[in-house]
Amino acid sequence: MSVSEAHPAPAVALLARPGAARERLREALAHADVQLVLEDDPNGLEPQALQAAHPQFVVIALEAAIEDALERLEPLLSAPDLTLVFDEAELAARRDGWEAQRWGRHLAAKLHGHQQVLPPGAEEEPSLQLEPGHPAPAPAPREEALQPHLDQAASWADEVPSDGLYSPPAQLREPIALEQALSALQPVLPELPEAPPLPVPPEVTPALPVAPPISFDHTAWSLVEDTSGDHASADGSRDTAAEQASPAFDTDHLSLVDLDAAAPVGARAASLLVLAGIGGPDALRRLLGALPATLSVPVLVHMRLDGGRYGNLVKQMARVSPLPVQLAEAGQRAVPGEVHVLADDIGVHVASDGLHFRTDADGIAIAALPAEHTALVLLSGADLGHVGPALDLAAAGAWVAGQVGEGCYDPAAATAVVAAGGVPGEPQALAQAIAARWGGEDDNGEAP
């Protein structure tokens, strides 16, 4: 059996409108050593034709003109055995030279399931993936190999010169412990004779005063309550005194207690922040699709797009996410149980009622989030500049995780946080861990 038969080339379908973007993607697939089983415009493609091609991967050039076609093909594109690779048509059309070659190597690595993204002839990058298990112990030295050296040392011991000018003093003794030396310096006190025990006086019980006998006048007893005369006036006086002593209860100024005001500010500002980049749409799609619909915190997504088409990203993720997906806007509040896609110029600040979005040229500030109530996930292509703030947030108590596995073909930032102690896992596994942490609300309305 040949190597090509043991590892057949993956079957790929290319869906793009005619134009420069389609030409660039076809060239990249031609150099990726794959089987191009279908190439067509999604606007005129029938679902039966895509199903008959039996592709393993579908490369899609995203643009506004094919959104309706993608909704029509959604039942086939959502198949679990099909992997989708998205690329912006505008970016693919103007990608050229070194940038096009670099993107082609990343595309080939994703289609073939390996980590080799360097150009031919370059040294392989050292693998930083963590592996389970203890490291292999060092081999034990063999005594038969050491015995000749021990014999030789013993034969030379008598010939080793010694210092004849030094002679130990006669009063030199073996060293003793510090406690023994301190106890030897303490003076010895003469023992005093024991004093005779003092006599114990007998217990004397004090005499208690005798209470005078209580006499009852049983002639005044009656089975029927007499409400006339002095008894009525006495009862009336007692009732009047009781009414005067009882406090007045004012019901005109009652109000409901704000239960959220009793919760700490950090708990109300809890959030899940997801950072991604190259290769991020597929990983983000798997992460959001596995989150529960009862998530009790807002999900903030920041994935840098060169074209800035965050509206298209919102539509893509809304098809697979059980949570509502919307584009974050300045002045809005992060709503628990919803996904907010952050543009490059949108940041957040912590308020008394949670997180609010605001315009910020620097984008999302990780250090501004409350550490003990924040979860941070770095997916494929996350910016290396976020590694330092993420580790600082983890040191302050945040839950930080990174994507690992074959689907992460730009793992630099995710691997860095995992190597520093972050939680590793595939996007679906990380979603399960987040669901166990924030899958629902407890009796107090706070995240568990």
Side-chain angles (χ1 to χ4, degrees), residues 28-192:
L29 293 175
H31 291 87
D33 191 18
V34 298
Q35 302 179 35
L36 188 59
V37 296
L38 177 65
E39 179 182 348
D40 203 347
D41 185 351
N43 290 325
L45 178 63
E46 295 296 332
Q48 295 80 1
L50 179 60
Q51 187 175 9
H54 299 291
Q56 299 172 273
F57 297 85
V58 178
V59 179
I60 303 175
L62 287 175
E63 53 183 328
I66 67 170
E67 290 182 1
D68 296 337
L70 293 181
E71 293 183 358
R72 179 171 52 86
L73 299 173
E74 181 179 0
L76 290 180
L77 298 179
S78 301
D81 56 344
L82 194 64
T83 302
L84 304 182
V85 180
F86 296 97
D87 191 16
E88 292 285 342
E90 182 180 353
L91 297 179
R94 66 170 184 259
R95 193 181 291 124
D96 195 8
W98 178 86
E99 185 180 0
Q101 296 177 6
R102 176 179 179 271
W103 190 90
R105 291 194 301 270
H106 282 273
L107 177 62
K110 184 173 185 62
L111 297 178
H112 289 276
H114 59 72
Q115 304 290 334
Q116 180 59 36
V117 294
L118 297 179
E123 296 181 357
E124 295 186 358
E125 296 179 345
S127 177
L128 298 179
Q129 300 293 339
L130 300 181
E131 297 181 359
H134 297 284
R142 295 179 299 175
E143 295 186 0
E144 57 272 13
L146 296 177
Q147 192 60 39
H149 301 283
L150 297 177
D151 297 340
Q152 185 180 23
S155 62
W156 288 354
D158 296 336
E159 301 178 5
V160 176
S162 60
D163 191 356
L165 298 179
Y166 173 76
S167 58
Q171 67 273 16
L172 182 64
R173 293 176 297 178
E174 291 293 332
I176 60 176
L178 177 60
E179 291 79 2
Q180 298 178 2
L182 293 177
S183 62
L185 297 177
Q186 298 296 329
V188 180
L189 300 177
E191 297 183 359
L192 298 177

Side-chain angles (χ1 to χ4, degrees), residues 5 11 13-14 22 66-67 69 88 90 133 178 230 251 254 264 274-275 296 299 336 353 363 373 418 431 448:
E5 294 175 352
L14 174 59
R22 185 166 168 177
I66 67 170
E67 290 182 1
E88 292 285 342
E90 182 180 353
L178 177 60
D230 297 337
T251 59
L254 294 179
V274 182
L275 304 174
S296 60
V299 182
D353 58 343
H373 305 280
V418 170

